[in-house]
Short mmCIF file of all heavy atoms in Angstrom, two decimals:
data_model
loop_
_atom_site.label_atom_id
_atom_site.label_comp_id
_atom_site.label_asym_id
_atom_site.label_seq_id
_atom_site.Cartn_x
_atom_site.Cartn_y
_atom_site.Cartn_z
N MET A 1272 51.46 33.23 46.80
CA MET A 1272 51.73 34.53 46.22
C MET A 1272 50.44 35.33 46.21
O MET A 1272 49.40 34.84 45.80
CB MET A 1272 52.28 34.34 44.81
CG MET A 1272 52.55 35.63 44.11
SD MET A 1272 53.36 35.42 42.52
CE MET A 1272 54.76 34.44 42.97
N GLU A 1273 50.53 36.54 46.65
CA GLU A 1273 49.36 37.40 46.74
C GLU A 1273 49.06 38.06 45.40
O GLU A 1273 49.96 38.51 44.69
CB GLU A 1273 49.60 38.48 47.79
CG GLU A 1273 48.37 39.33 48.06
CD GLU A 1273 48.60 40.30 49.20
OE1 GLU A 1273 49.39 39.98 50.11
OE2 GLU A 1273 48.00 41.38 49.16
N THR A 1274 47.79 38.09 45.04
CA THR A 1274 47.36 38.74 43.82
C THR A 1274 47.23 40.23 44.06
O THR A 1274 46.51 40.66 44.96
CB THR A 1274 46.00 38.18 43.34
OG1 THR A 1274 46.13 36.77 43.14
CG2 THR A 1274 45.55 38.84 42.06
N ARG A 1275 47.93 41.02 43.27
CA ARG A 1275 47.80 42.47 43.37
C ARG A 1275 46.56 42.90 42.61
O ARG A 1275 46.20 42.30 41.60
CB ARG A 1275 49.02 43.16 42.79
CG ARG A 1275 50.25 42.98 43.64
CD ARG A 1275 51.39 43.77 43.04
NE ARG A 1275 52.53 43.66 43.90
CZ ARG A 1275 53.13 44.71 44.45
NH1 ARG A 1275 52.71 45.93 44.21
NH2 ARG A 1275 54.17 44.54 45.23
N THR A 1276 45.93 43.96 43.09
CA THR A 1276 44.72 44.48 42.45
C THR A 1276 45.01 45.84 41.84
O THR A 1276 45.61 46.71 42.49
CB THR A 1276 43.58 44.59 43.46
OG1 THR A 1276 43.33 43.29 44.01
CG2 THR A 1276 42.31 45.11 42.82
N TYR A 1277 44.58 46.02 40.60
CA TYR A 1277 44.74 47.28 39.89
C TYR A 1277 43.40 47.67 39.28
O TYR A 1277 42.66 46.81 38.81
CB TYR A 1277 45.76 47.15 38.75
CG TYR A 1277 47.13 46.75 39.19
CD1 TYR A 1277 47.53 45.42 39.19
CD2 TYR A 1277 48.06 47.71 39.59
CE1 TYR A 1277 48.80 45.05 39.59
CE2 TYR A 1277 49.33 47.35 39.99
CZ TYR A 1277 49.70 46.02 39.99
OH TYR A 1277 50.96 45.65 40.39
N THR A 1278 43.12 48.96 39.27
CA THR A 1278 41.92 49.43 38.58
C THR A 1278 42.23 49.53 37.09
O THR A 1278 43.40 49.48 36.68
CB THR A 1278 41.49 50.82 39.10
OG1 THR A 1278 42.50 51.77 38.74
CG2 THR A 1278 41.27 50.80 40.60
N THR A 1279 41.21 49.70 36.29
CA THR A 1279 41.44 49.87 34.85
C THR A 1279 42.25 51.13 34.58
O THR A 1279 43.05 51.16 33.65
CB THR A 1279 40.10 49.91 34.08
OG1 THR A 1279 39.26 50.91 34.66
CG2 THR A 1279 39.40 48.56 34.10
N ILE A 1280 42.09 52.15 35.41
CA ILE A 1280 42.88 53.38 35.26
C ILE A 1280 44.35 53.09 35.56
O ILE A 1280 45.24 53.53 34.83
CB ILE A 1280 42.33 54.50 36.15
CG1 ILE A 1280 40.94 54.90 35.66
CG2 ILE A 1280 43.26 55.70 36.18
CD1 ILE A 1280 40.17 55.82 36.58
N ASP A 1281 44.61 52.32 36.64
CA ASP A 1281 45.99 51.92 36.95
C ASP A 1281 46.59 51.18 35.76
O ASP A 1281 47.75 51.41 35.39
CB ASP A 1281 46.05 50.98 38.16
CG ASP A 1281 45.62 51.60 39.46
OD1 ASP A 1281 45.75 52.84 39.62
OD2 ASP A 1281 45.16 50.85 40.35
N LEU A 1282 45.81 50.29 35.18
CA LEU A 1282 46.29 49.48 34.06
C LEU A 1282 46.68 50.37 32.89
O LEU A 1282 47.72 50.17 32.27
CB LEU A 1282 45.23 48.46 33.64
CG LEU A 1282 45.61 47.50 32.53
CD1 LEU A 1282 46.80 46.64 32.95
CD2 LEU A 1282 44.42 46.63 32.17
N ARG A 1283 45.86 51.38 32.60
CA ARG A 1283 46.18 52.30 31.50
C ARG A 1283 47.47 53.07 31.77
O ARG A 1283 48.27 53.26 30.88
CB ARG A 1283 45.03 53.29 31.28
CG ARG A 1283 43.88 52.69 30.54
CD ARG A 1283 42.85 53.75 30.22
NE ARG A 1283 41.55 53.14 30.44
CZ ARG A 1283 40.55 53.70 31.10
NH1 ARG A 1283 40.66 54.90 31.60
NH2 ARG A 1283 39.43 53.06 31.25
N LYS A 1284 47.64 53.52 33.01
CA LYS A 1284 48.79 54.35 33.36
C LYS A 1284 50.07 53.55 33.55
O LYS A 1284 51.16 54.07 33.33
CB LYS A 1284 48.51 55.12 34.65
CG LYS A 1284 47.46 56.19 34.49
CD LYS A 1284 47.23 56.90 35.81
CE LYS A 1284 46.18 58.00 35.68
NZ LYS A 1284 45.96 58.66 36.98
N GLN A 1285 49.95 52.28 33.99
CA GLN A 1285 51.12 51.50 34.37
C GLN A 1285 51.23 50.18 33.61
O GLN A 1285 51.79 49.21 34.13
CB GLN A 1285 51.05 51.18 35.87
CG GLN A 1285 50.95 52.37 36.77
CD GLN A 1285 50.66 51.94 38.20
OE1 GLN A 1285 51.07 50.87 38.64
NE2 GLN A 1285 49.95 52.76 38.94
N MET A 1286 50.71 50.13 32.41
CA MET A 1286 50.65 48.88 31.66
C MET A 1286 52.00 48.16 31.61
O MET A 1286 52.09 46.98 31.92
CB MET A 1286 50.17 49.13 30.23
CG MET A 1286 50.19 47.88 29.35
SD MET A 1286 48.88 46.74 29.71
CE MET A 1286 47.57 47.52 28.81
N GLY A 1287 53.06 48.86 31.24
CA GLY A 1287 54.37 48.23 31.13
C GLY A 1287 54.84 47.64 32.45
O GLY A 1287 55.33 46.51 32.50
N GLU A 1288 54.70 48.40 33.53
CA GLU A 1288 55.13 47.94 34.84
C GLU A 1288 54.33 46.72 35.30
O GLU A 1288 54.89 45.74 35.81
CB GLU A 1288 54.99 49.06 35.88
CG GLU A 1288 55.39 48.64 37.26
CD GLU A 1288 55.16 49.72 38.31
OE1 GLU A 1288 55.09 50.90 37.94
OE2 GLU A 1288 55.05 49.35 39.49
N ILE A 1289 53.02 46.76 35.10
CA ILE A 1289 52.16 45.65 35.51
C ILE A 1289 52.49 44.40 34.71
O ILE A 1289 52.60 43.29 35.26
CB ILE A 1289 50.67 46.03 35.39
CG1 ILE A 1289 50.34 47.15 36.40
CG2 ILE A 1289 49.77 44.82 35.62
CD1 ILE A 1289 48.97 47.79 36.20
N LEU A 1290 52.69 44.55 33.41
CA LEU A 1290 53.06 43.40 32.58
C LEU A 1290 54.41 42.83 32.99
O LEU A 1290 54.58 41.61 33.05
CB LEU A 1290 53.09 43.79 31.10
CG LEU A 1290 51.74 44.00 30.43
CD1 LEU A 1290 51.93 44.56 29.03
CD2 LEU A 1290 50.94 42.71 30.40
N ASP A 1291 55.36 43.69 33.29
CA ASP A 1291 56.67 43.21 33.74
C ASP A 1291 56.56 42.46 35.06
O ASP A 1291 57.19 41.42 35.24
CB ASP A 1291 57.66 44.37 33.88
CG ASP A 1291 58.19 44.86 32.54
OD1 ASP A 1291 57.99 44.16 31.52
OD2 ASP A 1291 58.78 45.96 32.52
N ARG A 1292 55.78 42.99 36.00
CA ARG A 1292 55.62 42.31 37.29
C ARG A 1292 55.02 40.93 37.08
O ARG A 1292 55.38 39.97 37.75
CB ARG A 1292 54.74 43.14 38.22
CG ARG A 1292 55.40 44.41 38.70
CD ARG A 1292 54.46 45.17 39.61
NE ARG A 1292 54.53 44.61 40.96
CZ ARG A 1292 55.33 45.10 41.90
NH1 ARG A 1292 56.10 46.13 41.66
NH2 ARG A 1292 55.33 44.55 43.10
N THR A 1293 54.09 40.83 36.15
CA THR A 1293 53.44 39.55 35.89
C THR A 1293 54.40 38.61 35.16
O THR A 1293 54.55 37.46 35.56
CB THR A 1293 52.16 39.76 35.06
OG1 THR A 1293 51.26 40.58 35.81
CG2 THR A 1293 51.47 38.44 34.77
N ARG A 1294 55.04 39.10 34.13
CA ARG A 1294 55.92 38.26 33.31
C ARG A 1294 57.21 37.89 34.04
O ARG A 1294 57.57 36.71 34.10
CB ARG A 1294 56.27 38.98 32.01
CG ARG A 1294 57.13 38.18 31.06
CD ARG A 1294 57.43 38.96 29.79
NE ARG A 1294 58.15 40.20 30.05
CZ ARG A 1294 59.48 40.29 30.13
NH1 ARG A 1294 60.23 39.22 29.99
NH2 ARG A 1294 60.06 41.45 30.35
N ILE A 1295 57.89 38.86 34.61
CA ILE A 1295 59.20 38.61 35.21
C ILE A 1295 59.10 38.04 36.62
O ILE A 1295 59.75 37.05 36.95
CB ILE A 1295 60.04 39.90 35.21
CG1 ILE A 1295 60.32 40.34 33.76
CG2 ILE A 1295 61.35 39.72 35.97
CD1 ILE A 1295 60.88 41.74 33.62
N ALA A 1296 58.27 38.67 37.45
CA ALA A 1296 58.16 38.24 38.85
C ALA A 1296 57.12 37.15 39.05
O ALA A 1296 57.02 36.57 40.13
CB ALA A 1296 57.85 39.45 39.74
N GLY A 1297 56.30 36.89 38.03
CA GLY A 1297 55.27 35.86 38.15
C GLY A 1297 54.13 36.26 39.06
O GLY A 1297 53.45 35.39 39.61
N GLU A 1298 53.90 37.57 39.21
CA GLU A 1298 52.83 38.05 40.09
C GLU A 1298 51.51 38.17 39.33
O GLU A 1298 51.43 38.92 38.37
CB GLU A 1298 53.18 39.43 40.66
CG GLU A 1298 54.36 39.44 41.58
CD GLU A 1298 54.66 40.83 42.12
OE1 GLU A 1298 53.93 41.80 41.80
OE2 GLU A 1298 55.66 40.95 42.86
N PRO A 1299 50.49 37.46 39.76
CA PRO A 1299 49.18 37.63 39.12
C PRO A 1299 48.59 38.98 39.49
O PRO A 1299 48.93 39.57 40.52
CB PRO A 1299 48.34 36.48 39.70
CG PRO A 1299 49.00 36.17 40.99
CD PRO A 1299 50.45 36.48 40.83
N ALA A 1300 47.70 39.50 38.65
CA ALA A 1300 47.07 40.79 38.90
C ALA A 1300 45.57 40.68 38.63
O ALA A 1300 45.16 40.08 37.64
CB ALA A 1300 47.67 41.86 38.00
N ALA A 1301 44.79 41.25 39.52
CA ALA A 1301 43.34 41.35 39.31
C ALA A 1301 43.06 42.75 38.78
O ALA A 1301 43.56 43.73 39.33
CB ALA A 1301 42.59 41.12 40.61
N ILE A 1302 42.29 42.84 37.72
CA ILE A 1302 41.93 44.13 37.13
C ILE A 1302 40.47 44.41 37.49
O ILE A 1302 39.59 43.58 37.22
CB ILE A 1302 42.10 44.11 35.60
CG1 ILE A 1302 43.48 43.58 35.19
CG2 ILE A 1302 41.82 45.49 35.01
CD1 ILE A 1302 44.66 44.33 35.77
N THR A 1303 40.25 45.57 38.12
CA THR A 1303 38.91 45.89 38.60
C THR A 1303 38.38 47.18 37.99
O THR A 1303 39.14 48.05 37.56
CB THR A 1303 38.88 46.05 40.14
OG1 THR A 1303 39.71 47.16 40.50
CG2 THR A 1303 39.37 44.79 40.84
N ARG A 1304 37.05 47.26 37.97
CA ARG A 1304 36.36 48.50 37.58
C ARG A 1304 35.17 48.64 38.53
O ARG A 1304 34.38 47.70 38.67
CB ARG A 1304 35.87 48.44 36.15
CG ARG A 1304 35.15 49.73 35.73
CD ARG A 1304 34.54 49.67 34.36
NE ARG A 1304 35.57 49.61 33.35
CZ ARG A 1304 35.43 48.97 32.19
NH1 ARG A 1304 34.32 48.32 31.91
NH2 ARG A 1304 36.40 48.95 31.32
N LYS A 1305 35.09 49.78 39.15
CA LYS A 1305 34.01 50.07 40.10
C LYS A 1305 33.92 48.99 41.18
O LYS A 1305 32.84 48.55 41.57
CB LYS A 1305 32.68 50.23 39.38
CG LYS A 1305 32.66 51.40 38.41
CD LYS A 1305 31.33 51.55 37.74
CE LYS A 1305 31.39 52.71 36.75
NZ LYS A 1305 30.14 52.86 36.00
N GLY A 1306 35.08 48.50 41.62
CA GLY A 1306 35.13 47.53 42.71
C GLY A 1306 34.86 46.09 42.32
O GLY A 1306 34.92 45.20 43.15
N LYS A 1307 34.58 45.83 41.05
CA LYS A 1307 34.31 44.46 40.60
C LYS A 1307 35.46 43.97 39.73
O LYS A 1307 35.95 44.68 38.87
CB LYS A 1307 33.01 44.39 39.80
CG LYS A 1307 31.80 44.67 40.64
CD LYS A 1307 30.54 44.38 39.86
CE LYS A 1307 29.34 44.60 40.77
NZ LYS A 1307 28.11 44.16 40.15
N THR A 1308 35.86 42.73 39.96
CA THR A 1308 36.95 42.15 39.18
C THR A 1308 36.46 41.85 37.77
O THR A 1308 35.46 41.16 37.58
CB THR A 1308 37.48 40.87 39.84
OG1 THR A 1308 37.92 41.19 41.16
CG2 THR A 1308 38.63 40.27 39.05
N LEU A 1309 37.20 42.37 36.78
CA LEU A 1309 36.86 42.14 35.37
C LEU A 1309 37.68 41.01 34.77
O LEU A 1309 37.19 40.25 33.94
CB LEU A 1309 37.15 43.40 34.55
CG LEU A 1309 36.40 44.67 34.91
CD1 LEU A 1309 36.88 45.81 34.03
CD2 LEU A 1309 34.91 44.47 34.75
N ALA A 1310 38.95 40.94 35.21
CA ALA A 1310 39.85 39.96 34.60
C ALA A 1310 41.05 39.74 35.51
O ALA A 1310 41.31 40.54 36.41
CB ALA A 1310 40.33 40.46 33.24
N TYR A 1311 41.74 38.66 35.24
CA TYR A 1311 43.01 38.38 35.92
C TYR A 1311 44.09 38.34 34.87
O TYR A 1311 43.91 37.78 33.79
CB TYR A 1311 42.96 37.05 36.66
CG TYR A 1311 42.07 37.08 37.86
CD1 TYR A 1311 40.75 36.67 37.79
CD2 TYR A 1311 42.54 37.56 39.09
CE1 TYR A 1311 39.92 36.72 38.89
CE2 TYR A 1311 41.72 37.60 40.20
CZ TYR A 1311 40.41 37.19 40.10
OH TYR A 1311 39.59 37.24 41.19
N LEU A 1312 45.23 38.91 35.21
CA LEU A 1312 46.40 38.87 34.35
C LEU A 1312 47.39 37.91 35.01
O LEU A 1312 47.75 38.10 36.17
CB LEU A 1312 47.01 40.27 34.25
CG LEU A 1312 48.22 40.46 33.36
CD1 LEU A 1312 47.87 40.13 31.91
CD2 LEU A 1312 48.71 41.89 33.45
N VAL A 1313 47.75 36.86 34.30
CA VAL A 1313 48.65 35.84 34.85
C VAL A 1313 49.79 35.59 33.86
O VAL A 1313 49.65 35.86 32.67
CB VAL A 1313 47.92 34.52 35.16
CG1 VAL A 1313 46.84 34.71 36.21
CG2 VAL A 1313 47.33 33.92 33.91
N PRO A 1314 50.90 35.06 34.36
CA PRO A 1314 51.98 34.72 33.44
C PRO A 1314 51.50 33.75 32.35
O PRO A 1314 50.65 32.89 32.59
CB PRO A 1314 53.02 34.05 34.35
CG PRO A 1314 52.75 34.62 35.71
CD PRO A 1314 51.25 34.79 35.75
N ALA A 1315 52.05 33.89 31.17
CA ALA A 1315 51.65 33.06 30.03
C ALA A 1315 51.77 31.57 30.35
O ALA A 1315 50.91 30.77 29.96
CB ALA A 1315 52.48 33.40 28.80
N GLU A 1316 52.82 31.19 31.08
CA GLU A 1316 53.03 29.78 31.42
C GLU A 1316 51.86 29.23 32.24
O GLU A 1316 51.49 28.08 32.08
CB GLU A 1316 54.33 29.58 32.19
CG GLU A 1316 55.57 29.91 31.39
CD GLU A 1316 55.89 31.41 31.38
OE1 GLU A 1316 55.32 32.18 32.19
OE2 GLU A 1316 56.69 31.82 30.53
N TRP A 1317 51.32 30.05 33.13
CA TRP A 1317 50.18 29.61 33.94
C TRP A 1317 48.98 29.32 33.05
O TRP A 1317 48.31 28.31 33.21
CB TRP A 1317 49.79 30.68 34.96
CG TRP A 1317 50.76 30.95 36.05
CD1 TRP A 1317 52.09 30.63 36.10
CD2 TRP A 1317 50.47 31.63 37.26
NE1 TRP A 1317 52.64 31.09 37.26
CE2 TRP A 1317 51.68 31.70 38.00
CE3 TRP A 1317 49.32 32.20 37.79
CZ2 TRP A 1317 51.74 32.32 39.24
CZ3 TRP A 1317 49.40 32.81 39.02
CH2 TRP A 1317 50.60 32.86 39.74
N PHE A 1318 48.71 30.23 32.14
CA PHE A 1318 47.54 30.07 31.27
C PHE A 1318 47.72 28.87 30.35
O PHE A 1318 46.78 28.09 30.14
CB PHE A 1318 47.30 31.35 30.45
CG PHE A 1318 46.09 31.26 29.58
CD1 PHE A 1318 44.82 31.36 30.14
CD2 PHE A 1318 46.20 31.05 28.23
CE1 PHE A 1318 43.68 31.26 29.35
CE2 PHE A 1318 45.08 30.94 27.43
CZ PHE A 1318 43.81 31.06 27.99
N GLU A 1319 48.91 28.72 29.79
CA GLU A 1319 49.18 27.58 28.91
C GLU A 1319 49.02 26.26 29.66
O GLU A 1319 48.46 25.30 29.12
CB GLU A 1319 50.58 27.70 28.31
CG GLU A 1319 50.67 28.85 27.32
CD GLU A 1319 52.08 29.27 26.99
OE1 GLU A 1319 53.05 28.70 27.57
OE2 GLU A 1319 52.23 30.20 26.17
N HIS A 1320 49.46 26.21 30.90
CA HIS A 1320 49.29 25.02 31.74
C HIS A 1320 47.80 24.76 31.98
O HIS A 1320 47.33 23.62 31.88
CB HIS A 1320 50.04 25.19 33.05
CG HIS A 1320 49.93 24.01 33.96
ND1 HIS A 1320 50.59 22.82 33.72
CD2 HIS A 1320 49.23 23.82 35.10
CE1 HIS A 1320 50.30 21.96 34.67
NE2 HIS A 1320 49.48 22.54 35.52
N TYR A 1321 47.07 25.82 32.28
CA TYR A 1321 45.61 25.69 32.49
C TYR A 1321 44.94 25.14 31.24
O TYR A 1321 44.09 24.24 31.33
CB TYR A 1321 45.01 27.05 32.86
CG TYR A 1321 43.53 27.08 32.74
CD1 TYR A 1321 42.72 26.55 33.74
CD2 TYR A 1321 42.91 27.62 31.62
CE1 TYR A 1321 41.35 26.55 33.64
CE2 TYR A 1321 41.53 27.62 31.50
CZ TYR A 1321 40.75 27.09 32.51
OH TYR A 1321 39.39 27.09 32.39
N GLN A 1322 45.32 25.65 30.08
CA GLN A 1322 44.72 25.16 28.83
C GLN A 1322 44.99 23.67 28.64
O GLN A 1322 44.10 22.93 28.23
CB GLN A 1322 45.26 25.93 27.63
CG GLN A 1322 44.63 27.28 27.44
CD GLN A 1322 45.07 27.92 26.14
OE1 GLN A 1322 46.26 28.00 25.86
NE2 GLN A 1322 44.11 28.36 25.37
N GLN A 1323 46.20 23.24 28.93
CA GLN A 1323 46.53 21.82 28.80
C GLN A 1323 45.68 20.97 29.74
O GLN A 1323 45.18 19.92 29.35
CB GLN A 1323 48.01 21.58 29.07
CG GLN A 1323 48.91 22.13 28.00
CD GLN A 1323 50.38 22.00 28.36
OE1 GLN A 1323 50.73 21.68 29.49
NE2 GLN A 1323 51.24 22.28 27.40
N LEU A 1324 45.51 21.45 30.97
CA LEU A 1324 44.68 20.72 31.93
C LEU A 1324 43.22 20.65 31.46
O LEU A 1324 42.58 19.61 31.55
CB LEU A 1324 44.74 21.38 33.31
CG LEU A 1324 46.07 21.28 34.05
CD1 LEU A 1324 46.03 22.10 35.34
CD2 LEU A 1324 46.42 19.84 34.34
N ALA A 1325 42.72 21.78 30.96
CA ALA A 1325 41.34 21.82 30.49
C ALA A 1325 41.13 20.91 29.29
O ALA A 1325 40.11 20.22 29.20
CB ALA A 1325 40.95 23.26 30.14
N GLU A 1326 42.09 20.89 28.38
CA GLU A 1326 41.99 20.01 27.21
C GLU A 1326 42.02 18.54 27.64
O GLU A 1326 41.29 17.71 27.10
CB GLU A 1326 43.10 20.31 26.22
CG GLU A 1326 42.92 21.63 25.50
CD GLU A 1326 44.12 22.04 24.68
OE1 GLU A 1326 45.11 21.26 24.60
OE2 GLU A 1326 44.09 23.15 24.13
N GLY A 1327 42.87 18.22 28.61
CA GLY A 1327 42.94 16.86 29.12
C GLY A 1327 41.65 16.44 29.79
O GLY A 1327 41.18 15.31 29.60
N ALA A 1328 41.05 17.33 30.56
CA ALA A 1328 39.78 17.03 31.22
C ALA A 1328 38.68 16.84 30.20
O ALA A 1328 37.85 15.94 30.33
CB ALA A 1328 39.42 18.14 32.21
N SER A 1329 38.68 17.65 29.16
CA SER A 1329 37.68 17.53 28.10
C SER A 1329 37.83 16.21 27.36
O SER A 1329 36.85 15.53 27.08
CB SER A 1329 37.82 18.70 27.12
OG SER A 1329 36.90 18.56 26.07
N ALA A 1330 39.06 15.82 27.10
CA ALA A 1330 39.31 14.55 26.40
C ALA A 1330 38.87 13.38 27.27
O ALA A 1330 38.31 12.39 26.77
CB ALA A 1330 40.79 14.42 26.05
N ASN A 1331 39.08 13.48 28.59
CA ASN A 1331 38.66 12.41 29.51
C ASN A 1331 37.14 12.30 29.55
O ASN A 1331 36.60 11.20 29.63
CB ASN A 1331 39.21 12.65 30.91
CG ASN A 1331 40.69 12.39 30.98
OD1 ASN A 1331 41.26 11.69 30.15
ND2 ASN A 1331 41.33 12.96 31.99
N GLN A 1332 36.44 13.42 29.50
CA GLN A 1332 34.98 13.39 29.51
C GLN A 1332 34.44 12.79 28.22
O GLN A 1332 33.46 12.05 28.22
CB GLN A 1332 34.41 14.80 29.70
CG GLN A 1332 34.56 15.32 31.09
CD GLN A 1332 33.99 16.73 31.24
OE1 GLN A 1332 33.59 17.37 30.29
NE2 GLN A 1332 33.96 17.20 32.48
N ASP A 1333 35.08 13.11 27.09
CA ASP A 1333 34.66 12.57 25.82
C ASP A 1333 34.85 11.06 25.77
O ASP A 1333 34.07 10.34 25.15
CB ASP A 1333 35.43 13.22 24.67
CG ASP A 1333 35.07 14.69 24.49
OD1 ASP A 1333 34.02 15.12 25.00
OD2 ASP A 1333 35.86 15.42 23.82
N ALA A 1334 35.88 10.54 26.44
CA ALA A 1334 36.19 9.11 26.43
C ALA A 1334 35.24 8.34 27.34
O ALA A 1334 35.06 7.13 27.16
CB ALA A 1334 37.63 8.89 26.86
N ALA A 1335 34.63 9.02 28.30
CA ALA A 1335 33.77 8.32 29.26
C ALA A 1335 32.42 7.97 28.73
O ALA A 1335 31.91 8.13 27.76
CB ALA A 1335 33.57 9.18 30.50
#
């Protein structure tokens, strides 16, 4: 799936549409300012999965 890129101005003008595309269609979005990526917007499930993986990796390092 291709990541769509939006400027901060796009984000201000199209917040609802961008959030819907991310939430409903599962499309990630890169948010940029002056050509540099500031953040990525991803579906909540993706982030929650990432957090679980990160917590598991941290627990494995602590056990080692």
Side-chain angles (χ1 to χ4, degrees):
M1272 178 174 306
E1273 186 174 330
T1274 301
R1275 290 184 176 239
T1276 301
Y1277 300 94
T1278 66
T1279 53
I1280 294 170
D1281 294 333
L1282 183 61
R1283 282 186 221 134
K1284 291 180 180 179
Q1285 303 171 31
M1286 176 75 81
E1288 179 184 337
I1289 294 169
L1290 286 172
D1291 284 347
R1292 290 180 82 94
T1293 299
R1294 182 180 61 88
I1295 296 168
E1298 294 180 3
I1302 309 303
T1303 63
R1304 180 186 292 148
K1305 298 181 182 177
K1307 293 189 177 188
T1308 302
L1309 300 177
Y1311 289 95
L1312 182 62
V1313 298
E1316 295 82 14
W1317 292 18
F1318 182 75
E1319 291 163 358
H1320 181 73
Y1321 165 79
Q1322 281 187 309
Q1323 290 174 350
L1324 291 174
E1326 289 171 4
S1329 178
N1331 287 340
Q1332 287 180 354
D1333 292 342

